Amino acid sequence: MKRIIFILIMVATWSGCTDLEEEPIGILAPETFFTTTDNLQAAVDGAYGHIASEEFWGRKFTLSLLLRGDMVTIGDPTTSSRRIEVDEFRMNGDNGMVTSFWPRSYAIIGSTNYAIEGAASVEGTEEEVNAIVAQARFVRAFTYYHLVRIFGEVPYIDFAVREAEALSSIEKTSVEEIYEGIIEDLEFAKTWLPDQQPFRSMPSKGTAASYLASVYLTIGNWQGAYDEATFVINNSGRFGYALEADFQDLFDATKADGLVEHIFSIDFKGLDVISGAPGIDFLPPVTGMRGPDIEGWSVAVPTVAVFNSFDDNDYRKAVSFDTEAVFDGVTVPWQDFGMANRGVSRPHIAKYYRFPGTAGNNNRDSDHNYGAMRYAEVLLIAAEASNELSGPTGEAVDYINQIRARARNAAGTMNTFPEDLTSGLSKDQLRDAILEERRIELAFEFKRWYDIKRLNLGMEVFGPTSMEPQTNFDSTRDYLFPLPDDELGRNPNLLPQNPGY
């Protein structure tokens, strides 16, 4: 595991990935480096920097989540085979997407572990120190929450690595134990984080509670999900949360820093940096249209069936899809996007390519703040948990209708669609309505695959009459990604490989 060992014992240089104070550092031993709360915060800032990297939120990891779901498939058939393999359920442990975001995930975790252990050497009050440790523990929980859903059993490393030998006997940890660690970290974060932070790219008390709600939803603890989600909702004023009035504003990088709906965001700064440097964001170009004067790459593109599944009267459809573009001064409809090397003739994802803010070539290096958790999702979690606990209550319906009411505001013009859900739905009908609301509201925001997995929808959503038929999908194999072969080769203790790979 030499690659992971190196990453775990260094906190990488953080060059402009967020709006937080920048201080690149390298760490050899937490007890000798950390003396002040500034040192401690710098280590946590390094973890934020790892999240806002090309290998994680900037492309490799998030693109994998997009392609694995049923809302997006490959547009350009000449794109890298590693992407096509993810999309078509043909990947193996040597897939270049996995072998990129796996080590970056453990880089995030390594940074947090050093901060957590280093806190014991820091001078400061309990409140000052634990407020920073709580950030580190939140980020560690955030990362493991993604890893356990993607891979299942993975090594749960919750200590600072000082020597390579410490990892020579490391083994995979059970899913149950990983979730126990995640919940413990989030509970600590909820206790010690402040109600609000200077930036939404730093977690607050409400952030920790929102992720607890999501975790409990995933593991089927409906009461826990309901309690945590309603805690956030009932204290939304205290935490500064609300639905944005205009859905489009959530995906306009020029408005990113003032969004009250963001509960936790991944902050890119819009710097034109060299490939591979921290902060590079490739999501806009990989979802953008290809053309002589439009420099997207048409990689992750919705099918026409996905586009048609959105009602034309829903403002969220106009925000989520690009259906026309100007090529050489001529406005072209999506049906003609494939002409003259313009990629594929399908509507493209607009959420990241339309308003990237300050950006470099191809709209890369964007200024986006990606809403990893939004207040709308907390409302959806509360509605789903409430329905599972008590059936179709007025409370659950109201949470959905708050989201629908916002969707009726089309840039200041009030529409009549989507109409409010009405009472009288059965529990099953409301469950289906909530899942559909999640699909529309959170489209292309890296949530859909997790819904498919937790609800075992694969055979349905990839079947022959689905929006994205995938004949290779195997429910005994494909709810997990393969563990990276290079890691298994370096450490046989991580064997066996996930089933079917």
Side-chain angles (χ1 to χ4, degrees), residues 132-446:
I132 301 173
V133 172
Q135 293 180 53
R137 293 188 67 167
F138 168 81
V139 171
R140 184 169 70 182
F142 169 84
T143 309
Y144 274 122
Y145 185 35
H146 283 296
L147 285 175
V148 73
R149 288 180 291 173
I150 287 288
F151 295 106
E153 295 183 350
V154 296
Y156 187 81
I157 302 170
D158 59 356
F159 57 89
V161 177
R162 294 168 174 81
E163 299 177 353
E165 289 74 17
L167 293 177
S168 62
S169 61
I170 198 162
E171 299 178 351
K172 290 187 288 187
T173 307
S174 72
V175 168
E176 293 75 15
E177 289 179 273
I178 295 170
Y179 273 114
E180 288 174 6
I182 291 168
I183 292 169
E184 183 179 333
D185 277 349
L186 291 175
E187 290 284 6
F188 183 94
K190 182 183 174 185
T191 299
W192 290 101
L193 286 169
D195 288 352
Q196 297 195 32
Q197 295 275 24
F199 310 104
R200 296 296 170 97
S201 52
M202 299 173 70
S204 68
K205 191 180 298 291
T207 315
S210 298
Y211 273 90
L212 276 168
S214 178
V215 168
Y216 286 135
L217 189 81
T218 295
I219 64 179
N221 182 340
W222 307 117
Q223 189 65 57
Y226 176 82
D227 290 346
E228 296 296 340
T230 54
F231 169 76
V232 175
I233 294 166
N234 293 338
N235 290 281
S236 58
R238 168 183 161 193
F239 299 142
Y241 301 147
L243 295 175
E244 291 293 332
D246 188 339
F247 188 67
Q248 179 66 80
D249 288 350
L250 290 164
F251 312 101
D252 184 341
T254 66
K255 301 178 180 179
D257 290 332
L259 297 174
V260 294
E261 188 165 335
H262 279 182
I263 291 176
F264 184 58
S265 63
I266 313 301
D267 186 352
F268 289 83
K269 284 204 63 158
L271 302 178
D272 190 5
V273 296
I274 60 172
S275 180
I280 194 166
D281 175 21
F282 280 113
L283 274 174
V286 299
T287 59
M289 288 162 282
R290 183 190 299 275
D293 54 349
I294 297 181
E295 298 184 28
W297 304 334
S298 292
V299 174
V301 185
T303 64
V304 175
V306 168
F307 174 73
N308 288 337
S309 72
F310 284 62
D311 193 291
D312 288 341
N313 297 307
D314 196 325
Y315 175 57
R316 292 172 294 184
K317 183 174 188 175
V319 171
S320 300
F321 295 91
D322 271 326
T323 58
E324 62 180 25
V326 177
F327 295 95
D328 296 328
V330 178
T331 299
V332 175
W334 66 262
Q335 293 89 344
D336 295 331
F337 282 177
M339 299 173 60
N341 194 33
R342 291 171 182 157
V344 59
S345 290
R346 299 202 300 261
H348 283 51
I349 298 171
K351 283 186 172 180
Y352 313 124
Y353 195 75
R354 182 176 290 162
F355 298 119
T358 302
N361 259 354
N362 321 111
N363 283 0
R364 73 175 105 187
D365 320 321
S366 82
D367 220 6
H368 277 301
N369 285 15
Y370 290 90
M373 177 66 72
R374 297 200 271 118
Y375 184 63
E377 184 175 359
V378 176
L379 293 172
L380 289 162
I381 292 171
E384 184 173 350
S386 175
N387 185 54
E388 296 300 330
L389 287 169
S390 308
T393 63
E395 177 189 29
V397 170
D398 176 66
Y399 292 143
I400 300 302
N401 286 341
Q402 289 182 48
I403 295 171
R404 290 188 163 206
R406 188 266 297 279
R408 292 196 287 270
N409 174 23
T413 299
M414 298 308 297
N415 295 326
T416 59
F417 189 92
E419 296 179 350
D420 282 351
L421 287 179
T422 58
S423 58
L425 296 176
S426 69
K427 184 175 183 177
D428 288 344
Q429 288 173 327
L430 184 54
R431 180 188 296 118
D432 290 344
I434 292 168
L435 181 61
E436 180 67 0
E437 201 71 28
R438 286 183 64 90
R439 189 180 73 85
I440 300 297
E441 175 72 21
L442 304 174
F444 317 125
E445 295 179 49
F446 326 116

Side-chain angles (χ1 to χ4, degrees), residues 59-130:
R59 175 167 54 168
K60 292 291 197 313
F61 177 63
T62 45
L63 179 58
S64 297
L65 290 177
L66 278 177
L67 293 173
R68 200 67 161 187
D70 66 335
M71 300 284 284
V72 164
T73 188
I74 294 293
D76 177 9
T78 67
T79 193
S80 300
S81 60
R82 61 179 178 264
R83 300 167 183 164
I84 298 172
E85 291 166 2
V86 174
D87 181 59
E88 296 182 352
F89 298 97
R90 294 190 292 106
M91 65 192 303
N92 286 304
D94 61 353
N95 183 274
M97 307 290 275
V98 171
T99 57
S100 290
F101 71 73
W102 169 281
R104 183 62 71 169
S105 301
Y106 277 97
I108 301 167
I109 292 165
S111 300
T112 65
N113 286 340
Y114 266 90
I116 293 164
E117 289 198 17
S121 305
V122 169
E123 296 180 2
T125 67
E126 182 181 36
E127 289 75 15
E128 290 171 336
V129 173
N130 280 349

